[in-house]
Amino acid sequence: MERKYNKQPKLGIRKGDKVRVIAGDDKGKEGAVLEVLLSKNRAVVEGINIITKHTKPSAGKPEGGIKKTEASIHISNLQLIDPASGKLTRVGRKLDDKGQLKRYSKKTGEFIK
């Protein structure tokens, strides 16, 4: 009998990381990651993929109106900015001197927070 695992893949991007958009309408823009949606492989980035929502007036919000907010963007369209050098980098994982698995920059080889 074959076992099936519901294990999510680990993503190279976490909340608080500074990333650059490498594809799409917002290509070249940078921002901090506000939220990572693991199940959808998407992330919400500050100031990126802005959408407009029209809200009807209600008892709680009598004025209604138009609200601009960030929508999620696929992880494959984002790349981490190396905190040490400020350049784009890929992310790897390796053990540190204490034996814990940590993220590191493949460009500089330094650990990322």
Side-chain angles (χ1 to χ4, degrees):
M1 188 161 111
E2 190 177 324
R3 289 186 181 208
K4 292 184 181 178
Y5 295 98
N6 291 337
K7 189 173 181 182
Q8 285 289 335
K10 294 207 179 232
L11 305 174
I13 295 171
R14 288 186 186 165
K15 182 178 176 180
D17 285 346
K18 190 152 172 86
V19 294
R20 183 177 296 158
V21 180
I22 58 173
D25 293 342
D26 292 324
K27 182 177 179 178
K29 292 184 182 178
E30 297 178 3
V33 177
L34 301 174
E35 181 183 4
V36 177
L37 308 169
L38 279 174
S39 61
K40 297 180 181 178
N41 286 342
R42 296 176 81 81
V44 177
V45 182
E46 183 180 22
I48 305 295
N49 200 17
I50 301 292
I51 60 168
T52 305
K53 285 191 170 185
H54 298 264
T55 56
K56 284 176 84 172
S58 64
K61 249 191 144 175
E63 66 276 358
I66 299 171
K67 181 182 170 191
K68 295 193 178 273
T69 184
E70 292 102 355
S72 65
I73 185 169
H74 200 272
I75 291 286
S76 66
N77 296 332
L78 301 174
Q79 195 161 14
L80 184 73
I81 297 174
D82 188 10
S85 66
K87 296 181 179 179
L88 296 180
T89 183
R90 290 180 294 148
V91 179
R93 284 179 181 73
K94 65 180 174 182
L95 295 173
D96 64 354
D97 53 354
K98 295 178 184 176
Q100 293 178 334
L101 198 61
K102 299 267 184 159
R103 296 186 307 158
Y104 76 99
S105 164
K106 290 201 171 185
K107 188 160 273 190
T108 61
E110 295 182 24
F111 287 107
I112 301 169
K113 64 170 177 148

